[in-house]
């Protein structure tokens, strides 16, 4: 199960991504916003990320105007490794090397065609492990020390 969410700045792109997920029969839970009305991205990020760390969802896609604010909020949740991506290479390698569990995008930065490509590579790229696991372990240790 995929967690998906956006604030008002990412709402239109989130709706386009949901159409793509539906066409691929990829299950998701929408954590809002459910309208284009103004709302606060930290609330959406926290709700979606709590579902991921609890095991209810496997990974997440979060969208705000730039992707930056919502990724900052997501990364405050222990166990989340969110990456703001606007290109294919970054979306692929954040899975391969960083084992990112949340893809963040900017609704005012990334168009729907590119967004679906980023979602596709993010969902279908597995963590490479090996030498990269040592680095993930170090990130986890930093997080645990807080």
């Amino acid at each position: 199960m995929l967690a998906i969410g956006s604030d008002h700045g990412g709402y239109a792109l989130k709706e386009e991504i949901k159409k793509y997920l539906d066409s691929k029969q990829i299950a998701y839970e929408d954590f809002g916003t459910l309208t284009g009305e103004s709302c606060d991205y930290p609330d959406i990020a926290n709700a979606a990320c709590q579902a991921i760390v609890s095991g209810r969802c496997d990974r997440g896609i979060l969208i705000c105007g730039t992707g930056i604010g919502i990724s900052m909020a997501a990364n405050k949740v222990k166990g989340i490794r969110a990456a703001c991506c606007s290109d294919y290479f970054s979306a692929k390698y954040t899975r391969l090397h960083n084992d990112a569990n949340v893809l963040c995008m900017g609704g005012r930065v990334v168009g729907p065609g590119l967004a679906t490509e980023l979602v596709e590579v993010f969902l279908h790229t597995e963590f490479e492990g090996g030498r990269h696991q040592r680095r993930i372990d170090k990130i986890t240790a930093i997080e645990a020390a807080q």
Side-chain angles (χ1 to χ4, degrees):
M1 173 79 67
L2 184 65
I4 190 168
S6 72
D7 71 355
H8 54 282
Y11 176 73
L13 185 59
K14 180 186 70 159
E15 293 303 304
E16 290 298 318
I17 292 169
K18 285 170 50 178
K19 290 177 190 173
Y20 165 78
L21 296 173
D22 289 339
S23 75
K24 298 292 184 179
Q25 299 180 322
I26 297 171
Y28 61 86
E29 183 174 346
D30 188 342
F31 288 88
T33 185
L34 302 178
T35 70
E37 298 298 316
S38 180
C39 64
D40 298 328
Y41 60 80
D43 299 331
I44 304 300
N46 188 47
C49 290
Q50 292 300 331
I52 295 166
V53 296
S54 75
R56 189 167 94 216
C57 293
D58 303 307
R59 291 188 201 156
I61 299 170
L62 295 174
I63 310 158
C64 68
T66 63
I68 297 168
I70 207 160
S71 68
M72 293 170 76
N75 278 314
K76 296 298 180 183
V77 177
K78 187 175 182 176
I80 294 298
R81 289 177 306 283
C84 182
C85 299
S86 57
D87 66 272
Y88 186 89
F89 186 87
S90 296
K92 179 176 181 175
Y93 279 84
T94 200
R95 286 290 307 132
L96 273 174
H97 290 183
N98 309 125
D99 198 21
N101 52 9
V102 177
L103 172 65
C104 299
M105 293 180 283
R108 297 176 181 138
V109 177
V110 176
L114 177 56
T116 56
E117 288 182 16
L118 301 182
V119 168
E120 177 81 19
V121 72
F122 182 79
L123 294 179
H124 294 99
T125 301
E126 294 302 320
F127 178 50
E128 200 171 72
R131 71 185 190 280
H132 306 294
Q133 183 61 54
R134 180 179 75 247
R135 297 165 186 147
I136 299 305
D137 293 343
K138 288 182 178 189
I139 292 170
T140 303
I142 293 168
E143 183 179 67
Q146 301 301 312

